[in-house]
């Protein structure tokens, strides 16, 4: 096999929501998450592919509307674009056909920085459906670059793009389209004469930016006090935007034509209802209810099959292996522990798949727009709904997605309240407890269990809003922020691609949780298999009854603290182990009830349902079940989430405050509901 001899680095750039990540995936055969709303890519991602003995590295930068950063993800974009210019061969700029005017602003800024660029117009078919025709030849002539056409959703034009990258079809403009205002020209030329920089637009960007871009300090050193005092970055940016759009309007008048009286498309018709000030919220709630109904209804058969399979594996291992600790470890420890978490994979998969379809279709962008007015009084904005909704899958990427929130205070509040959202790790806990305490009955064709699950999701959401109100009092905002976004057209979701993506995420959940459950199951088995031998006075005795094991002693030692919440020592052990990750609670309970010789034979949920206290009262009664649900609705209990909160806030104060605050709320809420309901 011949090794590639050449290497080339390319930047993939464009506005948010133009299909950039889809192009990246197709070029590099990767599965980076794409979504039909701004803020999906919040850090640079890289991938490689080989083409004609050349290795190409594609760096997918966060979407941005301008070279002037207003949020952390845009700062990543701007700094990489300007400071790393000598490292890459050129920029592939993705321009969405339906948003050509908006996209050309950033394109011309990059072009004026003297960066070699190749223009790719994506989703022209969407424009044609609206009666919009774009003359690509004229566009190429006006801009002085090569222009390619792609349809990333249909994998069209990607091979042509690879070929053009191989040919290094990136062109550098020999002139700067932006004319520096007369009042700043003298200062620009003064700075140019004292530095090695020759591009006067790059100096302009450094002067116009109110955040660090490149060698801003060295440029400022060239100015006297009077010069610096006259520079107001926002005013300079506004001047540039107005002048550029005047030029862009001239270009668009030449390259774009629209059929008169083109009939209203489905997008416009649907938006009259889906973003309606009343019906929009009603429809969103109805969609969520349908999803939660599906989580129980569609997952029932695969869950039963998985449960039966692991029960068979456990019994087979018990019969096949010789009696002793190894038999007990595998049949009563590891297999039930892993089965207790894998059984919920179908429910997690169904939930994620529906969320991916909503994102892919363009509906999630409407949810952002719809929720902006609703979230403002809580110290949040519409963009906060992206991490909040993403938090239903996992809080870690959700917290990272807050980087596209421009206002620093709103971003911090969003980071701190996002863990209240019901993530996929909570779903196994909710599912098993709801299955124990909620009857399998229906109201108007809707399952009580689906209503209960939806109630838990809304409880997490409203708790995040309540926490945001409190945090708003302590974290003062400096100035107002505004939501500015384009609503994309509705698109048919890529059902197959979203299904594959869902399978990958479920597999990540199983393998990630499986590693933890495997270790925890061994530890739980060890401390439950051994205990003190009171007769001989020995420290260690094997194969003792679960009630007399070291595990039981540890659980009973914390029972005074958890008894007011309605929990016994087994639940206490489950809560302790789940501080690593919430879903470990289910694996722990599965292992404990498999190790309990007094528990009836059968499925774990049946053992839990029939378990009774010494006084004959059910262990998992309604009051206790609701108490557990409230505890896991509010408790942090995820080490990985704590780590990412610290990384994003760079503050131990807020990280520890979040941990203690959520744990305290969880304990108090569980205590109150149990005492009321018992």
């Amino acid at each position: 096999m011949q090794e590639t001899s050449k290497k080339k680095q390319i930047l993939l750039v464009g506005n948010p929501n133009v299909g950039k990540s889809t192009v990246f995936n197709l070029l590099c055969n990767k599965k980076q998450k794409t979504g039909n709303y701004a803020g999906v890519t919040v850090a640079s991602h890289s991938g490689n592919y080989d083409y004609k003995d050349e290795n190409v590295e594609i760096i997918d930068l966060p979407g941005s509307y301008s070279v002037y950063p207003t949020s952390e993800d845009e700062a990543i974009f701007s700094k990489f674009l300007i400071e790393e210019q000598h490292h890459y061969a050129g920029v592939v700029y993705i321009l969405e056909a339906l948003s050509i005017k908006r996209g050309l602003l950033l394109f011309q800024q990059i072009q004026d920085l003297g960066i070699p660029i190749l223009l790719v117009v994506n989703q022209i078919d969407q424009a044609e459906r609206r009666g919009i025709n774009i003359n690509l030849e004229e566009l190429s002539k006006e801009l002085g670059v090569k222009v390619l056409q792609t349809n990333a959703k249909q994998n069209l034009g990607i091979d042509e793009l690879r070929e053009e990258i191989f040919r290094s079809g990136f062109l550098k403009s020999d002139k700067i389209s932006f004319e520096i205002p007369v009042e700043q020209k003298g200062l620009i030329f003064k700075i140019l004469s004292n530095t090695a920089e020759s591009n006067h637009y790059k100096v302009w960007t450094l002067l116009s930016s109110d955040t660090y871009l490149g060698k801003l300090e060295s440029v400022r050193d060239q100015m006297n006090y009077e010069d610096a005092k006259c520079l107001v970055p926002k005013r300079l940016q506004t001047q540039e935007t107005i002048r550029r759009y005047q030029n862009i309007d001239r270009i668009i008048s030449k390259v774009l034509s629209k059929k008169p009286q083109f009939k209203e498309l489905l997008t416009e018709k649907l938006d009259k209802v889906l973003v309606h000030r009343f019906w929009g919220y009603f429809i969103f709630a109805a969609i969520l209810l349908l999803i939660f109904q599906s989580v129980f209804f569609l997952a029932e058969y695969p869950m039963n099959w998985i449960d039966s399979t692991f029960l068979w594996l456990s019994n087979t291992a018990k019969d096949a292996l010789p009696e002793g600790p190894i038999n007990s470890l595998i049949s009563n420890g590891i297999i039930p522990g892993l089965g207790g978490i894998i059984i919920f994979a179908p429910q997690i998969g169904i939930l994620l798949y529906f969320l991916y379809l909503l994102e892919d279709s363009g509906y999630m962008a409407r949810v952002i727009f719809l929720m902006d007015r609703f979230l403002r009084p809580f110290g949040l904005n519409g963009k906060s709904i992206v991490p909040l909704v993403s938090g239903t899958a996992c809080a870690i990427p959700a917290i990272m997605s807050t980087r596209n929130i421009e206002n620093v205070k709103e971003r911090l509040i969003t980071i701190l309240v996002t863990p209240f959202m019901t993530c996929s790790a909570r779903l196994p806990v909710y599912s098993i407890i709801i299955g124990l305490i909620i009857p399998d009955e229906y109201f108007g064709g809707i399952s009580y269990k689906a209503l209960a699950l939806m109630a838990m999701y809304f409880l997490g959401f409203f708790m995040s809003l309540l926490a945001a109100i409190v945090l708003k009092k302590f974290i003062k905002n400096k100035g107002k922020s505004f939501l500015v976004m384009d609503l994309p057209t509705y698109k048919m979701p890529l059902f197959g691609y979203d299904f594959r993506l869902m399978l990958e995420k479920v597999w990540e959940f199983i393998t990630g949780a499986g590693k933890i459950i495997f270790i925890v199951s061994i530890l739980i088995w060890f401390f439950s298999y051994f205990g003190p031998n009171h007769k001989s006075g020995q420290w260690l005795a094997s194969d003792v009854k679960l009630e007399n094991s070291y595990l039981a002693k540890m659980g009973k030692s914390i029972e005074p603290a958890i008894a007011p919440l309605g929990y016994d020592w087994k639940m206490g052990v489950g809560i302790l182990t789940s501080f690593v990750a919430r879903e470990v609670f289910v694996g722990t309970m599965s292992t404990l009830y498999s190790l309990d010789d007094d528990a009836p034979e059968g499925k774990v949920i049946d053992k839990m349902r029939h378990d009774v206290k010494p006084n004959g009262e059910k262990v998992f009664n309604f009051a206790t079940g609701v108490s557990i649900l409230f505890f896991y609705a509010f408790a942090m209990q995820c080490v990985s989430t704590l780590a990412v909160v610290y990384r994003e806030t760079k503050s131990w104060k807020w990280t520890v405050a979040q941990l203690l605050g959520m744990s305290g709320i969880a304990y108090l809420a569980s205590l109150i509901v149990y005492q009321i309901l018992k």
Side-chain angles (χ1 to χ4, degrees):
M1 183 177 176
Q2 186 178 359
E3 293 185 5
T4 56
S5 57
K6 301 177 184 177
K7 288 192 176 181
K8 184 183 291 181
Q9 188 182 75
I10 304 298
L11 299 187
L12 197 60
V13 175
N15 294 159
N17 190 42
V18 294
K20 194 163 52 65
S21 294
T22 306
V23 173
F24 173 81
N25 289 337
L26 293 171
L27 284 172
C28 304
N29 296 314
K30 295 191 75 160
K31 294 293 187 292
Q32 180 188 339
K33 179 69 185 81
T34 61
N36 215 349
Y37 54 86
V40 173
T41 307
V42 293
S44 60
H45 297 273
S46 67
N48 294 73
Y49 70 88
D50 293 324
Y51 185 79
K52 294 185 178 180
D53 295 333
E54 182 177 71
N55 181 260
V56 180
E57 181 186 14
I58 302 288
I59 298 178
D60 181 19
L61 294 180
S64 181
Y65 293 107
S66 168
V67 294
Y68 305 112
T70 58
S71 61
E72 189 169 331
D73 59 330
E74 290 181 4
I76 295 170
F77 161 84
S78 300
K79 197 170 181 182
F80 203 107
L81 191 72
I82 295 173
E83 287 195 347
E84 305 294 327
Q85 189 170 339
H86 61 285
H87 289 149
Y88 52 87
V91 165
V92 173
Y93 189 89
I94 308 297
L95 178 69
E96 189 183 47
L98 283 172
S99 305
I100 186 169
K101 181 176 179 178
R102 182 194 68 185
L104 283 179
L105 175 67
L106 176 60
F107 171 85
Q108 289 198 330
Q109 287 178 326
I110 295 172
Q111 192 177 41
D112 284 350
L113 286 168
I115 298 172
I117 195 165
L118 171 65
L119 181 60
V120 176
V121 182
N122 192 31
Q123 305 294 348
I124 282 187
D125 60 315
Q126 297 288 336
E128 289 173 347
R129 288 177 193 169
R130 291 195 171 199
I132 299 171
N133 180 61
I134 302 172
N135 188 330
L136 297 183
E137 290 185 10
E138 186 65 27
L139 182 63
S140 175
K141 180 181 174 182
E142 285 289 328
L143 298 175
V145 294
K146 290 186 179 180
V147 179
L148 298 181
Q149 177 182 345
T150 62
N151 186 336
K153 288 278 185 179
Q154 303 299 324
N155 196 7
L156 300 176
I158 301 301
D159 290 336
E160 291 81 356
L161 177 56
R162 284 198 184 98
E163 179 65 25
E164 203 60 48
I165 291 173
F166 173 74
R167 291 179 181 176
S168 294
F170 307 94
L171 294 179
K172 185 185 292 188
S173 178
D174 56 358
K175 63 177 182 178
I176 294 177
S177 61
F178 174 63
E179 184 179 349
I180 303 294
V182 175
E183 54 269 28
Q184 272 83 44
K185 275 186 177 179
L187 177 59
I188 295 291
F189 288 119
K190 174 185 172 183
I191 294 172
L192 286 171
S193 65
N194 293 323
T195 64
E197 183 59 60
S198 59
N199 186 309
H200 67 257
Y201 178 66
K202 183 180 287 188
V203 176
W204 167 270
T205 62
L206 299 179
L207 294 176
S208 303
S209 176
D210 50 4
T211 56
Y212 179 69
L213 273 185
K215 300 176 181 178
L216 181 60
E217 286 81 1
S218 63
V219 172
R220 297 280 184 188
D221 290 341
Q222 305 298 322
M223 296 186 293
N224 57 39
Y225 175 74
E226 291 300 322
D227 290 334
K229 190 173 68 172
C230 294
L231 288 178
V232 180
K234 291 297 182 185
R235 187 182 299 164
L236 297 182
Q237 292 175 29
T238 303
Q239 280 183 295
E240 179 183 342
T241 301
I242 292 171
R243 288 174 179 242
R244 285 197 180 278
Y245 273 131
Q246 288 172 346
N247 184 42
I248 290 169
D249 286 338
R250 179 189 61 79
I251 295 172
I252 287 178
S253 66
K254 289 185 177 183
V255 304
L256 190 144
S257 60
K258 188 171 183 179
K259 294 179 182 178
Q261 297 180 338
F262 201 78
K263 71 174 185 177
E264 186 179 45
L265 290 181
L266 180 62
T267 292
E268 285 79 10
K269 294 177 181 177
L270 287 175
D271 277 347
K272 289 181 178 179
V273 179
L274 295 181
V275 295
H276 190 271
R277 299 179 73 172
F278 171 75
W279 293 111
Y281 295 105
F282 180 81
I283 292 170
F284 183 45
I287 290 172
L288 290 178
L289 184 58
L290 177 63
I291 292 173
F292 297 137
Q293 177 85 342
S294 302
V295 164
F296 280 101
F297 176 71
L298 297 179
E300 182 178 357
Y301 292 103
M303 287 180 71
N304 287 336
W305 179 81
I306 292 170
D307 200 15
S308 301
T309 300
F310 274 89
L311 184 61
W312 175 81
L313 284 173
S314 181
N315 291 331
T316 301
K318 187 178 293 185
D319 296 337
L321 295 172
E323 288 290 330
I326 299 298
N327 183 313
S328 176
L329 170 63
I330 295 174
S331 61
N332 295 330
I334 295 173
I335 293 177
L338 292 175
I341 198 66
I342 293 174
I343 189 175
F344 297 101
Q347 290 186 328
I348 294 169
I350 290 168
L351 177 64
L352 291 178
Y353 187 56
F354 276 110
L355 289 177
Y356 290 160
L357 292 180
L358 292 179
E359 293 171 3
D360 210 9
S361 67
Y363 179 66
M364 286 309 301
R366 271 75 188 173
V367 174
I368 296 173
F369 178 79
L370 188 67
M371 298 301 292
D372 184 58
R373 183 187 294 109
F374 180 79
L375 294 176
R376 286 285 170 187
F378 301 97
L380 305 168
N381 72 29
K383 286 186 178 179
S384 299
I385 201 66
V386 173
L388 292 177
V389 172
S390 301
T392 58
C394 180
I396 293 170
I399 289 170
M400 292 174 65
S401 72
T402 61
R403 294 176 187 173
N404 79 318
I405 299 174
E406 293 86 352
N407 187 289
V408 175
K409 303 305 180 185
E410 289 174 354
R411 179 174 180 252
L412 177 58
I413 293 174
T414 306
I415 288 173
L416 295 176
V417 304
T418 292
F420 281 114
M421 297 298 292
T422 297
C423 63
S424 55
R426 285 185 174 104
L427 186 57
V429 181
Y430 289 172
S431 184
I432 197 167
I433 299 301
I434 288 172
L436 285 169
I437 66 172
I438 302 297
D440 196 11
E441 297 176 5
Y442 290 81
F443 175 77
I446 301 172
S447 165
Y448 283 159
K449 292 180 179 178
L451 290 171
L453 182 60
M454 185 175 181
M456 294 311 301
Y457 274 80
F458 274 106
L459 177 63
F461 178 62
F462 287 120
M463 189 61 207
S464 67
L465 297 182
L466 183 60
I469 289 179
V470 175
L471 290 169
K472 183 183 176 183
K473 303 295 183 183
F474 294 97
I475 306 173
K476 300 298 181 182
N477 276 317
K478 294 181 180 178
K480 286 189 174 182
S481 64
F482 302 92
L483 178 67
V484 179
M485 64 177 296
D486 279 351
L487 294 181
T489 56
Y490 290 103
K491 300 169 185 174
M492 184 63 67
L494 298 175
F495 294 96
Y497 174 80
D498 289 335
F499 186 75
R500 290 194 302 272
L501 189 65
M502 176 271 291
L503 291 178
E504 288 177 6
K505 293 298 181 183
V506 170
W507 179 246
E508 285 178 17
F509 173 82
I510 291 173
T511 53
K515 293 173 187 174
I516 300 171
I517 294 292
F518 181 79
I519 296 170
V520 170
S521 296
I522 293 174
L523 292 173
I524 289 173
W525 171 84
F526 179 85
F527 287 108
S528 63
Y529 191 79
F530 295 99
N533 191 327
H534 296 290
K535 293 181 180 179
S536 62
Q538 293 178 341
W539 180 79
L540 198 68
S542 63
D543 200 14
V544 299
K545 287 180 67 67
L546 184 62
E547 288 286 334
N548 301 322
S549 67
Y550 286 116
L551 188 68
K553 284 188 171 295
M554 286 188 283
K556 289 175 181 178
S557 68
I558 64 169
E559 215 167 16
I562 60 174
L565 311 183
Y567 308 158
D568 67 353
W569 71 267
K570 291 179 185 175
M571 284 181 257
V573 171
I575 288 171
L576 286 178
T577 57
S578 67
F579 268 97
V580 180
R582 299 177 184 97
E583 65 271 24
V584 175
F585 174 83
V586 177
T588 300
M589 301 309 290
S590 298
T591 302
L592 284 172
Y593 276 94
S594 297
L595 290 165
D596 192 353
D597 295 330
D598 295 331
E601 291 295 322
K603 298 177 180 179
V604 171
I605 193 168
D606 292 330
K607 294 180 179 181
M608 295 172 71
R609 184 176 287 116
H610 294 105
D611 193 15
V612 294
K613 298 177 182 178
N615 61 4
E617 180 186 347
K618 278 190 173 184
V619 171
F620 290 94
N621 54 40
F622 183 76
T624 302
V626 174
S627 176
I628 295 172
L629 291 175
F630 269 70
F631 183 87
Y632 279 98
F634 302 144
M636 169 62 89
Q637 291 192 281
C638 181
V639 174
S640 300
T641 303
L642 281 172
V644 81
V645 167
Y646 173 72
R647 189 177 72 185
E648 294 298 311
T649 62
K650 296 179 176 60
S651 168
W652 280 115
K653 180 185 76 172
W654 288 116
T655 306
V656 173
Q658 184 184 46
L659 173 62
L660 297 179
M662 292 184 68
S663 300
I665 292 170
Y667 187 90
L668 288 174
S670 304
L671 175 67
I672 292 169
V673 296
Y674 178 74
Q675 295 300 325
I676 291 173
L677 296 175
K678 72 175 182 179

